[in-house]
Amino acid sequence: MRFDLVTIFPEFFAGPLDHGILRRARETNLVEVQIQDLRVFTKDRHRSVDDRPFGGGEGMVLKPEPLFEAAEALLGRSLGSAEEPVVQDPKTAIVLMSAAGKLFRQETARRYAQLDRIVLLCGRYEGVDERVAEHLATEEISVGDYVLSGGELPAMLIIDAVTRLIPGALGNEASSQNESFSANSATPPVGARYAVPVRADTVSIAARGRGGASPAPTGGKSLIEECATLLDFPHYTRPAEFRGWKVPEVLIGGNHAEVANWRRAAALEKTQRNRPDLLLR
C-alpha cells in the first residue's frame, strides 16, 4: 500500500509517521508514505497555491492547477479534462480531505485497505476549488462534524486507520477484528441475534462494572436484537481493585460463556450511552 500526501506543510508529518504501528509498517515495507509539497507545482515567483473566491466572500481558496498537476506527477498520467475525461484506476483513490465530504467510517477504512494506492489531498484556507472535488478526487472525505485548519491531521487519521487493517501491520491480527466498529465477538453479523441469551442481570453487571446505575430490566432471558454496529466492550486489567473500583467479577471467574455474554451486553450498554446513533443504523 502506498500513501501520497499532497500538502503545503510537508514538515507536518515528520512526527506522526515515526512512531508505533506506522513506523513498523514502513520499516517492514508494508506501507510506503510519500509527501509532496504542493508549492512545487506553482508557476509564479511567490509560489501561490491560493486565490480570492469568485463571487466575493472571506478567505482564500486553493487553486485547482497545482493540485491536478501534483496528482498527475505522482500517478504518472494525465487525469483528463472536460474534453477528454479519463477512467480512474479502481485500485487507486484520490481523496480530498474536506469538512464538506462524506463521513469517514470504519467501513471506509476497510474498503481503502483493499486498494494499492491512496493520494490524499490536504485542503487549507477557506476551501478548495470545487473542480478538484468534482473532477480530480474520487472521494471527498470528512473525519467528523467539525472544522479543522487543514487536511493534514485528517489525512494522518486515515493513514493510521487504514494501515492497521493491512495484514501484518499489527502484532496480533485479532486486534483489528475485536474492537469498536468491527464485526467482532461482541457484534455478530447484521441482523443476527446473540447465540448466548443475554440476561437482564448481565446488562446490569455491565453497568455496574463502570460504576453506573443498572438499566431497567428487560425480563427473563430475552434476547437483545443486534444492531448494525456496536462499540467495543469495556476492557480491564490488573490490579483487580484500584482505589476501591473493582473489576467485574464475571471477568475473573473463568467462565468463557459468561464472559462472552457479559461483553456483548456491555458493548450494547456502552453504545447506548456513548453513541446511541449507531443503534439507529
Side-chain angles (χ1 to χ4, degrees):
M1 165 72 75
R2 171 168 167 165
F3 297 97
D4 291 286
L5 292 153
V6 181
T7 174
I8 61 171
F9 295 121
E11 64 279 4
F12 178 94
F13 300 97
L17 292 172
D18 293 333
H19 299 279
I21 292 170
L22 280 176
R23 177 181 61 80
R24 293 195 298 271
R26 294 172 65 207
E27 289 176 347
T28 55
N29 297 317
L30 283 174
V31 302
E32 177 185 358
V33 183
Q34 296 294 330
I35 303 170
Q36 179 61 62
D37 186 350
L38 182 62
R39 295 191 188 277
V40 169
F41 298 94
T42 57
K43 296 180 171 60
D44 66 304
R45 63 189 182 92
H46 298 293
R47 304 179 76 194
S48 302
V49 295
D50 60 331
D51 208 334
R52 294 184 298 275
F54 283 117
E58 66 283 352
M60 303 290 278
V61 176
L62 281 181
K63 299 190 290 187
E65 296 97 330
L67 286 166
F68 269 82
E69 292 186 15
E72 289 175 332
L74 289 169
L75 298 177
R77 58 186 174 85
S78 170
L79 293 173
S81 65
E83 291 75 24
E84 297 181 8
V86 298
V87 177
Q88 296 285 357
D89 180 356
K91 299 296 287 184
T92 297
I94 303 175
V95 180
L96 173 62
M97 307 312 306
S98 166
K102 296 178 182 177
L103 190 61
F104 182 76
R105 301 184 185 278
Q106 187 67 14
E107 54 261 37
T108 318
R110 287 194 288 266
R111 177 162 54 85
Y112 284 176
Q114 306 303 312
L115 301 177
D116 294 334
R117 190 171 186 178
I118 302 175
V119 179
L120 295 154
L121 309 177
C122 302
R124 275 278 162 177
Y125 308 121
E126 190 62 28
V128 178
D129 188 291
E130 187 64 16
R131 288 164 292 188
V132 173
E134 290 183 350
H135 307 296
L136 174 60
T138 56
E139 286 191 86
E140 191 175 3
I141 292 292
S142 168
V143 295
D145 295 337
Y146 44 83
V147 178
L148 298 173
S149 300
E152 285 78 14
L153 186 55
M156 274 307 313
L157 296 179
I158 288 179
I159 292 176
D160 189 284
V162 173
T163 296
R164 62 195 318 281
L165 296 178
I166 297 173
L170 301 179
N172 183 351
E173 292 304 311
S175 296
S176 65
Q177 301 168 13
N178 297 292
E179 58 188 4
S180 297
F181 311 112
S182 297
N184 54 28
S185 59
T187 57
V190 177
R193 286 178 176 269
Y194 294 125
V196 180
V198 180
R199 304 187 305 271
D201 60 341
T202 308
V203 180
S204 298
I205 291 172
R208 290 198 299 272
R210 66 176 179 85
S214 301
T218 57
K221 291 187 176 182
S222 60
L223 294 172
I224 296 177
E225 186 71 40
E226 179 54 43
C227 65
T229 306
L230 293 182
L231 298 182
D232 194 9
F233 52 79
H235 297 271
Y236 295 88
T237 187
R238 295 172 179 77
E241 182 175 346
F242 173 68
R243 297 187 181 182
W245 298 305
K246 297 180 179 179
V247 172
E249 289 293 332
V250 66
L251 300 181
I252 303 173
N255 187 315
H256 296 297
E258 288 189 0
V259 169
N261 198 37
W262 180 91
R263 284 175 168 173
R264 294 180 184 116
L268 177 64
E269 189 276 335
K270 190 166 189 175
T271 305
Q272 289 173 326
R273 171 164 41 96
N274 290 347
R275 290 291 306 276
D277 59 294
L278 295 176
L279 301 177
L280 302 176
R281 293 182 186 175

